[in-house]
Amino acid sequence: MKVSDIIMGPIIAGIGILAIVAASMQPKPFFGTGYGGGFFPSIIGYALVLAGGLLLVNGWRQRDVQPLVVMGSWVRSPTHMANAAVVLGVLVFYILFSNFLGFVIAGFVVVFATLLQFTRSPVRSLILAGVTTLVVKFAFQDMLLVPLPWGLLEPYAGVLSWR
């Protein structure tokens, strides 16, 4: 599927504006350093706005020769549509249930369902989902100190934490 730059440009610029607004809400820097938590996200936001504007200009120049949307042959393939549905479904699942289930359980389900759809190997998907979830949990929560939701496993937080 090919979407014209006339459509994608404003979407990307809008995401950039959202990034700039979110970055402006970050805590201000300490001790006059000038660099707070929103510094790098705001740079990315400005870059997205610039890229979206350039895409819009490019799409406007090609508007006579390029249709707004061209559907690819994959849209008629049930396998490809199922792949797209699984990816969107696990994203929605994680957003809705990660706080209740916790990162470990929700992340495992997301990785397992995605791997199962793409590899069709239940044993390999089960092993990789478990290893991947634990590695990500260890890297983010224990090494980088990013708080991840415990959810149902909160009573076991002391046992499952490696700090």
Side-chain angles (χ1 to χ4, degrees), residues 22 28 46 52 67 100:
K28 299 302 176 211
Y46 286 116
F100 173 71

Side-chain angles (χ1 to χ4, degrees), residues 69-85:
V69 177
V70 176
M71 293 297 201
S73 61
W74 68 270
V75 175
R76 291 182 279 289
S77 166
T79 303
H80 289 99
M81 292 304 291
N83 290 346

Side-chain angles (χ1 to χ4, degrees), residues 87-146:
V87 169
L88 292 174
V90 296
L91 288 173
V92 170
F93 171 82
Y94 187 81
I95 290 169
L96 294 177
F97 295 106
S98 64
N99 283 333
F100 173 71
L101 294 175
F103 172 78
V104 174
I105 296 172
F108 176 82
V109 170
V110 165
V111 175
F112 177 72
T114 306
L115 285 172
L116 188 61
Q117 174 65 27
F118 285 100
T119 66
R120 306 280 187 216
S121 173
V123 174
R124 186 183 313 160
S125 298
L126 190 69
I127 293 168
L128 282 175
V131 169
T132 302
T133 303
L134 291 177
V135 166
V136 170
K137 185 250 180 240
F138 175 72
F140 280 89
Q141 189 164 11
D142 296 332
M143 292 179 63
L144 298 173
L145 303 178
V146 174

